[in-house]
Amino acid sequence: MPQLPEKIHELTVGQLSARSGAAVSALHFYESKGLISSRRTSGNQRRYTRDTLRRVAFVRAAQRVGIPLATIREALAELPEERTPTRADWARLSEAWRSELDARIDQLNRLRDHLTDCIGCGCLSLATCVLSNPDDVFGERGAGSRLMREERGPRAHS
């Protein structure tokens, strides 16, 4: 990983990319979503403060565990004066996100278990399939496939 002399206080997008491991396009995307910010030089080139490295690391770590970018942006916006997240910030936020992640893990485990059942029978019946008809909500409307007809609307016969 390239090292920067201490006297350099701003990074180009290429330097930030090399140091953070994030693609330049990802950094531009993060900036467009308000996750990081830069200033523009007179030649319209982006310059990032060194602490942007920590913000990028924070965003990437949160993304790896499945936190949506909108949630990450909200968390960063809560920091006073848009300061860089600290270890204490990460601990507080990760604890708050833990129950949401646990719920998603439980949901994915249930889906995985039902997918195995579905592969075994292959029916995809709207009357009984827990994947295409959770809690049998369509069974109350009668037998047969109803989703395709309802999504398309009544078919005109020619």
Side-chain angles (χ1 to χ4, degrees):
M1 177 181 323
Q3 296 297 315
L4 294 171
E6 275 299 315
K7 64 183 178 182
I8 297 177
H9 296 288
E10 291 185 318
L11 306 170
T12 66
V13 71
Q15 290 169 325
L16 182 60
S17 174
R19 293 282 310 275
S20 69
V24 169
S25 58
L27 296 172
H28 290 169
F29 180 74
Y30 291 165
E31 190 169 357
S32 74
K33 297 300 181 186
L35 300 165
I36 61 174
S37 60
S38 68
R39 75 168 184 87
R40 297 294 183 126
T41 66
S42 59
N44 203 31
Q45 296 174 329
R46 291 175 167 93
R47 292 294 184 265
Y48 299 91
T49 58
R50 288 174 68 99
D51 63 352
T52 305
L53 281 167
R54 183 177 294 266
R55 286 180 78 91
V56 171
F58 179 91
V59 170
R60 294 187 73 194
Q63 278 187 296
R64 272 193 294 277
V65 297
I67 304 301
L69 285 179
T71 304
I72 298 168
R73 183 179 53 245
E74 289 168 7
L76 289 170
E78 291 176 9
L79 299 177
E81 298 177 19
E82 295 189 12
R83 73 168 162 73
T84 301
T86 63
R87 183 181 303 255
D89 293 326
W90 179 257
R92 178 179 49 80
L93 290 167
S94 63
E95 183 60 35
W97 293 334
R98 185 177 191 85
S99 63
E100 179 183 333
L101 290 173
D102 286 342
R104 270 198 250 155
I105 289 168
D106 290 343
Q107 179 185 25
L108 286 171
N109 282 331
R110 283 191 306 276
L111 285 172
R112 179 203 56 218
D113 294 345
H114 291 308
L115 180 62
T116 302
D117 295 343
C118 194
I119 290 171
C121 77
C123 74
L124 290 179
S125 165
L126 286 181
T128 60
C129 183
V130 295
L131 290 176
S132 60
N133 185 18
D135 302 320
D136 195 22
V137 294
F138 296 108
E140 296 171 7
R141 297 186 198 169
S145 177
R146 301 201 176 317
L147 288 180
M148 295 299 281
R149 273 187 288 167
E150 290 175 3
E151 287 176 2
R152 290 185 194 154
R155 286 180 102 173
H157 296 286
S158 40

